[in-house]
Amino acid sequence: MTALLIILAAIVLLFIGYVFYGSWLAKQWGVDASNKTPAQKMPDGVDYVEAKPAVLMGHHFSSIAGAGPINGPIQAAIFGWVPVFLWCVIGGIFFGGLQDFGSLFASIRHDGKSVGEIIKSSMGKRAKKLFIIFALLVLILVIASFVNVVAGTFFSADGVKFGFTTNPTPNQTTAIISVLFILLAVVYGILTNKCGLKTLPATIIGIVGIIAIVVLGLNVGFVMNRTAWIIFVALYIAIASLIPVWIMLQPRDYLSSFLLYAMMAIAIAGIIFSAFAGNVKFEIPAFAGWTVNGSFMFPTLFITVACGACSGFHSLIASGTTSKQLDNEKNAKAIGYGSMLIESALGIISLIAVGMVFAKYKAGDFGSPSAAFGAGIAIMFGAPGTGVYNTINALLTLAVSVFALTSLDSATRLSRFMFSELFLKEEEATWKDASGIRKVLANPLFATAFMVIVGATLGFLKLSAIWALFGAANQLLAGIALLAVAAWLGNVGKNNKMFYIPMVFMLAATLSQLVITVIKQGKVIASGAANWGNWFQIIFAAAMVVLAVILVIEGIQTFVKQAKAKK
């Protein structure tokens, strides 16, 4: 019954936050349905393409979700369920939702440009360049983290073989379904954009297709070794980031959102069933202490939960792809703010899932938080080894891998935009207008290749060596995005006071965590036991601290100027 009360409380609080706080924000900023969106003002058939609200909601939600709201709350559960619950709800409403909605709205008012462009308009050209460099470092970590997650999800113990197999393992099932899902998305995109098929019949065909490939995948799997899967994923995200959004990005994300909605519906049904059947118990203590396993709750909890409460990566999605596809400014609240609150609900579901198998999770019985998530939901319906348990577990593992892939190609597309933007002069609209070496560096093919190769290479590291650094960098990006939107709103005379507390808190927590990382890795290096992963962590962490401090100083100077101007 504890689990049922937790999810009901979360849903009610998040709904109240959406209705009242979300609407208040829209009113304060002046969201106007009569304004033309970037997709309406400058359609190009590649990136600036109007999407129906349901389709764009699917893209945005799938892109921001990834594996973050599943992995993060599960890892943070060691502090107890109350701290994780409070941070997911409070963080989602007043921190993450604010950042996502604000970034999307600001980008819409800047012709669909990135947060870097928003920073330039209020803090200057130098701040823009520094932000782009910082964001590219974060995107490299995003690519590295999720390449690692996806390859680990597809790879199985007998991965030395190559080809199809009957009686597949869950990993082999997930692999073939995920690959077929990509092909299904392309078919959907062609049917709706080139054949004129309406959204409803196309959606029905898509859902039937999902069911068909799931049934196939439960009976036939595909096997490759881990290295081969990393190469496959790298090639996929490179291609997917370069082709028009209507071929892959929009249809794949829209269809994958149904998997996520189904996953959440199955989870809630399982919570309700188990509450009255009493077949499993929620095992996480309410509060485990301020220090657990040598880690302090501050800043560890707020960094680890990540996407379940607030994520800087969301600001890049909102201002990188979503703002270029919005069909009406009034939909920014539902897509920007609403998606974050749904993700917070997913974070709470993940917390409940691990609560059902918490003793086994703490004992290390699961290879990853995602595996614990699937097992925790599946065990609500049946005992391990039964048909219903295996089927639900496989479906949930599939959902996690699909969303990791979604985040991957969205991150790669964003990195292409920002990498090219870094080398262009103000008067140069595209890479074709540049000259010399800058024309090569700004070329989309070079930008994509560079980011994918670096990110995929780092994907060979252990996930533990990437995730902690990714979490801190990602949350630090959130603090800077909050700063950027607040500075812009101040410049245009809009209320920006709601940004101050979230901005300061996120900057304090993340900078503290990065300094801890530098000190920890410095000790390892000093002991002579370091490998290249330790050097990578300390260099990356130190670089991000320096860049962030400079940007914060620029932001403070901007706020001071705004205050003087008002006086």
Side-chain angles (χ1 to χ4, degrees):
M1 192 61 71
T2 301
L4 181 59
L5 293 176
I6 290 173
I7 192 63
L8 288 176
I11 291 173
V12 170
L13 291 172
L14 292 169
F15 179 76
I16 291 173
Y18 176 80
V19 172
F20 292 101
Y21 192 60
S23 299
W24 181 77
L25 291 176
K27 185 176 180 180
Q28 291 294 305
W29 300 340
V31 173
D32 188 350
S34 65
N35 285 342
K36 281 191 174 183
T37 65
Q40 294 168 335
K41 290 190 291 185
M42 52 187 74
D44 63 1
V46 178
D47 297 313
Y48 288 81
V49 179
E50 273 192 86
K52 294 183 182 298
V55 175
L56 186 55
M57 183 78 167
H59 155 68
H60 184 77
F61 186 32
S62 299
S63 295
I64 66 171
I70 293 172
N71 285 355
I74 288 176
Q75 293 181 76
I78 59 172
F79 288 102
W81 70 262
V82 170
V84 178
F85 172 86
L86 291 175
W87 179 231
C88 281
V89 173
I90 296 173
I93 294 172
F94 297 106
F95 290 68
L98 174 70
Q99 179 217 222
D100 294 15
F101 188 13
S103 299
L104 177 57
F105 177 68
S107 180
I108 293 168
R109 293 296 177 90
H110 285 80
D111 293 331
K113 299 291 180 62
S114 68
V115 176
E117 196 67 27
I118 297 165
I119 283 180
K120 190 192 80 171
S121 71
S122 55
M123 294 166 57
K125 297 178 182 178
R126 185 178 68 171
K128 172 191 172 181
K129 293 289 185 182
L130 290 171
F131 174 81
I132 290 176
I133 294 170
F134 182 89
L136 288 172
L137 291 176
V138 175
L139 287 169
I140 285 174
L141 292 176
V142 171
I143 294 171
S145 299
F146 289 125
V147 163
N148 188 300
V149 169
V150 172
T153 303
F154 290 174
F155 167 69
S156 53
D158 55 349
V160 292
K161 301 175 183 177
F162 177 87
F164 295 98
T165 179
T166 56
N167 193 24
T169 66
N171 288 39
Q172 294 161 358
T173 289
T174 302
I176 193 169
I177 295 175
S178 298
V179 173
L180 291 174
F181 194 90
I182 294 170
L183 299 177
L184 178 65
V186 173
V187 172
Y188 180 95
I190 293 173
L191 288 176
T192 54
N193 288 277
K194 293 300 180 183
C195 299
L197 194 64
K198 298 296 184 182
T199 301
L200 180 59
T203 301
I204 294 172
I205 292 173
I207 293 174
V208 171
I210 292 173
I211 296 171
I213 63 176
V214 167
V215 172
L216 176 63
L218 290 171
N219 293 281
V220 179
F222 190 75
V223 187
M224 282 199 304
N225 63 41
R226 191 172 183 277
T227 299
W229 278 121
I230 288 178
I231 295 172
F232 170 83
V233 172
L235 290 173
Y236 161 72
I237 61 176
I239 295 170
S241 69
L242 289 166
I243 59 180
V245 292
W246 64 265
I247 296 178
M248 175 65 67
L249 194 73
Q250 286 181 354
R252 197 275 325 283
D253 293 356
Y254 174 61
L255 291 176
S256 66
S257 67
F258 286 99
L259 275 176
L260 185 52
Y261 300 145
M263 178 180 75
M264 296 179 69
I266 290 171
I268 292 173
I271 293 168
I272 295 172
F273 176 76
S274 63
F276 293 100
N279 57 329
V280 286
K281 293 183 178 179
F282 186 74
E283 301 173 345
I284 303 176
F287 181 67
W290 298 103
T291 305
V292 180
N293 297 338
S295 298
F296 293 98
M297 183 178 292
F298 181 89
T300 306
L301 171 75
F302 306 97
I303 302 303
T304 306
V305 170
C307 306
C310 184
S311 168
F313 178 61
H314 296 188
S315 69
L316 300 184
I317 295 291
S319 64
T321 57
T322 304
S323 62
K324 296 177 176 64
Q325 301 173 64
L326 197 72
D327 70 336
N328 194 307
E329 197 170 280
K330 69 178 182 181
N331 295 323
K333 174 193 166 187
I335 293 169
Y337 193 74
S339 291
M340 178 63 242
L341 299 193
I342 297 174
E343 188 166 359
S344 292
L346 177 56
I348 299 295
I349 289 172
S350 302
L351 173 68
I352 294 171
V354 74
M356 301 303 183
V357 291
F358 195 59
K360 291 183 177 180
Y361 174 71
K362 287 180 68 178
D365 288 3
F366 302 104
S368 67
S370 300
F373 173 79
I377 300 298
I379 204 171
M380 298 179 196
F381 293 92
T386 60
V388 64
Y389 175 93
N390 291 339
T391 300
I392 291 176
N393 201 350
L395 287 173
L396 295 176
T397 305
L398 165 68
V400 174
S401 72
V402 165
F403 295 117
L405 279 172
T406 300
S407 295
L408 264 173
D409 60 36
S410 293
T412 309
R413 185 176 288 266
L414 290 172
S415 65
R416 168 169 65 83
F417 294 153
M418 302 188 83
F419 195 93
S420 297
E421 191 176 348
L422 184 63
F423 296 101
L424 293 178
K425 293 181 179 180
E426 294 299 317
E427 66 274 11
E428 296 168 344
T430 70
W431 66 275
K432 295 178 181 178
D433 300 323
S435 59
I437 187 64
R438 291 189 302 102
K439 188 169 187 176
V440 175
L441 295 173
N443 188 301
L445 291 175
F446 180 88
T448 301
F450 178 85
M451 295 296 293
V452 170
I453 290 171
V454 173
T457 300
L458 292 175
F460 284 98
L461 286 171
K462 290 183 179 179
L463 183 60
S464 59
I466 310 170
W467 191 264
L469 189 57
F470 159 70
N474 183 40
Q475 304 306 77
L476 182 53
L477 178 60
I480 293 173
L482 288 164
L483 183 152
V485 179
W488 169 70
L489 286 170
N491 269 10
V492 297
K494 300 289 186 181
N495 183 6
N496 65 355
K497 292 183 177 61
M498 69 285 290
F499 284 85
Y500 293 165
I501 293 176
M503 175 183 67
V504 172
F505 183 85
M506 295 308 300
L507 289 171
T510 50
L511 286 171
S512 298
Q513 184 64 39
L514 285 170
V515 170
I516 290 171
T517 299
V518 170
I519 295 172
K520 181 180 178 181
Q521 297 305 321
K523 289 180 178 178
V524 175
I525 292 170
S527 70
N531 55 35
W532 74 279
N534 300 110
W535 282 103
F536 158 71
Q537 290 185 66
I538 194 171
I539 292 171
F540 241 72
M544 284 186 286
V545 168
V546 172
L547 286 169
V549 168
I550 295 173
L551 282 167
V552 169
I553 292 172
E554 296 267 5
I556 291 172
Q557 292 173 343
T558 300
F559 292 135
V560 170
K561 290 178 183 177
Q562 291 173 355
K564 289 180 178 179
K566 286 182 180 179
K567 289 181 180 179

